Amino acid sequence: MGPEPCTLPPSPNWYCARCSDAVPGGLFGFAARTSVFLVRVGPGAGAIPGTPPFRVIGELVGHMERVSGFTFSHHPGQYNLCATSSDDGTVKIWDVETKKVVTEHALHQHTISALHWSPQIKDLIISGDEKGVVFCYWLNRSDSQHLFIEPRAIFCLTCSPHHEDIVAIGYKDGIVVITDISKKGEIIHRLRGHDDEIHSIVWCPLPSEECLSINQEENSEEPEIPNGKVIAQTPVTKGCYLATGSKDQTIRIWSCSRGRGVMTLKLPFLKRRGGGVDPTVKERLWLALHWPKEQPTQLVSSCFGGELLLWDLTQSWRRKYSLFSASSEGLNHSRIVFNLCPLQTEDGKQLLLSTSMDRDVKCWDMATLECCWTLPSLGGFAYSLAFSSVDMGCLAIGVGDGMIRVWNTLSIKNNYDVKHFWQGVKSKVTALCWHPTKEGCLAFGTDDGKVGLYDTYSNKPPQISSTYHKKTVYTLAWGPPIPALSFGGEGDRPSLTLYSCGGEGIVLQHNPWKFSGEAFDINKLIRDTNSIKYKLPVHTEISWKADGKIMALGNEDGSIEIFQVPNLKLICTIQQHHKLVNAISWHHKHGSQPELSYLMASGSNNAVIYVHNLKTVIESNPESPVTITEPYRTLSGHTAKITSLAWSPHHDGRLVSASYDGTAQVWDTLREEPLCNFRGHRGRLLCVSWSPLDPDCIYSGADDFCVYKWLISMQEHSRPPQGKKSIELERKRLSQPKPKPKKKKKPTSRVPVKQELYDGNEEESIREGSGPVENGVSDQEREEEAQEPEVPCGVAPLVANEPVICTPVSLGLEKAKATVNNKVTLLKKDPPKEKTDTLIKKRKARSMLPLSTSLDHRSKEELHQDCLVLATAKHSKELKEDVSADLEERFHLGLFTDRVALYRMIEVEGKGHLENGHPDLFHQLMLWKGDVKGVLQTAAERGELTDNLVAMAPVAGYHVWLWAVEAFAKQLCFQDQYVKAASHLLSIHKIYEAVELLKSNHFYREAIAIAKARLRPEDPILKDLYLSWGAILEKDGHYALAAKCYLGATSAYDAAKVLAKKGDATSLRTAAELALIVGENDLSASLAFRCAQELLLVRNWVGAQDALQLHESLKGQRLVFCLLELLTKHLEERQLSEGKSSSYNTWTAGAKGPFVEKVTAIWKSAFSLETPEQCQAACQQLQNIKYPSATSNTPSTQLLLHICHDLTLAVLGQLVASWDTAVEALLRAVVRSYDAGNFTIMQEVYSAFLPEGCDHLKDKLGAQCPTTPAFKSLEAFFIYGHLYEFWWSLSRPCPKSSFWVKATHRKTTSIEQSQQLDNASPEENDIKASQPEPNRPVELDVRLTEESEQILNACKELFSEKHASLQNSQRTVAEVQETLAEMIRQHQRSQLCKSTANGPDKNEPEQEAEQSLSSPQSQCKEEKNETVSLPELTKRLTEANERIAKFPESVKNWPFPDVLECCLVLFHIRSQHPGFMTQEMQQQAQELLQKYSNTKVYRRHFQTFFT
């Protein structure tokens, strides 16, 4: 048949301790129903590049019933061998390469429950059954050994990886036994601790107990005396750990050397993180374990909701675990996990494979704990396949496990990109149909008659039609609306409506716009239009022609009727088939021959396909119906009923059919020729669909729980099997299990349950009356019973007609034998459309009067005595005391005497019900008595009020009803059902109480909904709810929802504030827009500015300008950001800035010329800043904003913003001719860069804004301008900067002639170099750290340029006596303050030393270390200032402050370069080039240094030059 087709396999079997396994190299197998599916994992899988590396490569077929165990041989050289156990009583050994059975045995007499291939002995397979019998089977010598270790039901067993004779066995009652099979099953240890089923046993991969630091549990229940005898420690049991997982929710780790538990891990309750789970379904627990070889200090376990945990065993007291796929919530299992299998791929990856009740097989990477890929599977028959005509490649699959799958067959990254939809289904999905034009709109029908509409793009539950079919939905089809009164006028109709055909023979039309409205039975219109008086046939199929003008209906009698829209006029009847019509399909209309769209293919129960050409009939539009009895083409070959037909959308006249003969057939209908036959399924085919994109690809589904994707070109056969081949195929299909009668078990429910039996007998146990059914499993499933095989148990239609005994599976309910006669003709698609032939025996309801009934079943003498006592009581005028006593004793006679006696009997019966735990029966008796109030009081006292009791309360009166509702609400609160309690309070109009109840228990959403719906809009409680909820949400970090609450409470300001709390640019932008909408202009402006600042950090200039555009008051800031952007670009172009901007605004590109002119030009063009008034307004906005002064720690981005703010004010001042403002602003910008120690920015500001120096500003200001001090400071900083540049030009290693000097080279002695390097001042090094004075190997003969002479002459401006005095006083203050601070620190240290003098010796090293940590600088100060007293320091400080106070404000307000620093720089220049400094300047500088260098900072440098 060519390579294996792409398979959507059956689900792995549930509730089996080991039914999946894997071997190194990448082969994984899992048991599904009666076979084992093999999956190749890793690079050798041959998967399409880019998709997950796995592929289903085959199936092991041979068992007749469910496979309960599967294990590989883990011995190198025989990885191809594996073993399976089954409910048919056999253990088979397979060769996976040939997929054939090597050998088998049927030694067990009872159901096999555990299986393992020994990891130590190559040919040993050990199995155990539910009666406690263990068989050891040696493959090579076909020998076996019978062991009966414990008379208990075995749940799992695992052979030791370290010793060939040791096996650990877990039992149903929680006992774990370690046994030695070489000593006839002698028990080495009996481990007690679990109190429920043992689901998994794993051995530690290391043989010693040294790998874990586990201490003995204090309260170990297990003594080291198994069987009453002390067993000596042996090398067999010594030094190995064992881990067990149990249904009691614990993992226990046992020491084999001590025979007792050493660690217990309790499963944590984790919040269910999404997943396709019906919250009403209560699941049991299954606890699977895996102990990784590569990580022996870690243990993997499953958890309650399908999560996987990685436990850290190194710190047993912490119970620490990691969650698999913690970052990706949707990738976890959504139901309990049954098996965990490690696998190492060919490329060395360590993987873990898991099977789960959610029907997914998942692969996990053990290195990252993330999910690598998921293999979805099916838990029921594949009833229906449908490709979407809009979402190309989306294949919907209707499955009998109560779920719809949508398979994206076009996914490039994932071959199995499957979504599950289960909400609102709860039954077998038997029909599907996509909307022809609307995306994601999928109609479905179920076997219980439900019709629904799913939006596959949302997570919403489906819409369910209010009109149900009485039986299974067979077919769905979208077609034009036909006249129906319920649809209203023409404008109220949708363009397409949904038609459904059900098993009762009715076709309903559903309005998708009004799904809750009643559906229309089209038989009414057919009868009226065609004046039909006779009974209409039972419809079994509906199909619309592609143009929507013709409808075909197939019927139970084999006829097909053709109707014409809009009134469904019957134009033709086809009398060809003589059995029930199963499938009708119209040819597509987009072929090369348009007339082929009139071809209609049909299939029925008689295995022949007919094709009719209706072109003539439809075009002639006959007055009376035409009857056709001859087909256009006949396609014969199938040997069983036809279930599905599909035309190829890629070819003309090519058809594929699905049949009960187990094959799918491709036909060339125009030539009546069979082209290809697919025989990959092991069951009867139910549906088939042609790929809309690949002409060679077809999908088919069957009752073998599989969907196959297969290629026409790869099939060996061209026609369906005939004769012997047909018999062989039938045998293959019949190899599916035949259920054996099982022992009756006690029912777990008193509810009578109707068990359906089908001709196909699909054992999916979707039951009526047994609670919600989800994923094919009822929530009442028996925990004692493993999952039954979900397989057919009937026979094919071709088998002899003897009655067949079948037992349907009912999880946890009684099983009864039933007889099915295959001669019975059922409507449509018999196996998938299940019809009930028998009922399970109903259990008798519990008696209401059990005590009286039992007294009426006593001995004959007692009954006769009853009669005599009753006769005496009835016919005596006065009752004697002895008769009264007899009547009281025989209370059951109250049924035959008076009311008082009856009440007494009811009272006795009621007490009996309460004592036996049946309060509901007691309540019913009280209701019979008419004592509704008493019933309510009793139930309220016992906390047993129910909805039904409260509903009866009005019978006892209005006030009783009010009291009962309040009592029930209190009871619900105790049960944590607050929402339900609030609803009941609403029923008695206690709205405020209901709202308060919900609020106090943090159900704010529900409380607001009620308050909004029932209270006045202005009621203050509504605002209080919003504010309270908002505060909690804000505290928890849910800012967006909190903002909604504040908006609801009309606190828009708070809403904007809370939105801005996150602080990112997006949140700030939204908050600013919100504030603007609600009229909070100031807040909006501040938030918009904050947003711009956030964007500034990432240099998003465009975004920053957009944010500032929100508010007119931020126009000034827009100018600042514009200037900042231009300056940043300028710095980046000169490579003076860290980082790069991703993009600039467009207006920065074309700007040219001097910097200031460039700025003003852009302001005019981009920001419409043209008039002086606009400039003045912007200037006013910016002057209101004050930034703090800069420091050396100010971030560069913030520093640039503040500098540009000042520069913007400077430019605006120039534009409005306010030169004093301009000078002050420019000076502030320079001082910021000076304070921050950023000499580069300071010089760039000067070069950009004062390229020609300060002279032109002097002209603009005038002589008597009040800003003269500011100008002097500005000019001084200008000279200060150029002075340093001049000095550095002299200090370059090998400078060329420059702007400052003209140079020629000469040698310099090393002594001179060292002197020059020693003479650098700390201030110079601090401020110009990025410009260190380098070592110069070459000295220069240098001559000054004219510009440098001007600078040196201008340095006289820096020799300001008053500024030098002020700065000296300020330095004195700083020095005294530092000395005082140091004295305080020394005092604190001495106090600390005294307090710890008598302490322990261990503190001495700490004290010494602390003293040694004191800085050398402080030690130096201590040496030099030993004689300075506190009064002396105080005096210095006072004098200095007094001197500072005497200086005029104009001097103190405007910063000035450090005068002494400038003097030292000049002396450095003089030391290098004596001729550069005039005698006058030298003398002036020396006087200043002598006079004001009394502080320690300058004293040393002064001594260097002048001593």
Side-chain angles (χ1 to χ4, degrees), residues 432-434 436 443 475-480 497-501 508 542-544:
L432 292 170
C433 189
W434 290 94
T475 312
L476 296 169
W478 290 92
T497 57
L498 181 64
Y499 295 83
S500 60
C501 179
L508 297 175
I542 179 173
S543 181
W544 282 90

Side-chain angles (χ1 to χ4, degrees), residues 1203-1215:
I1203 289 173
C1204 287
H1205 180 273
D1206 294 325
L1207 294 176
T1208 304
L1209 281 171
V1211 177
L1212 288 172
Q1214 293 181 28
L1215 291 176

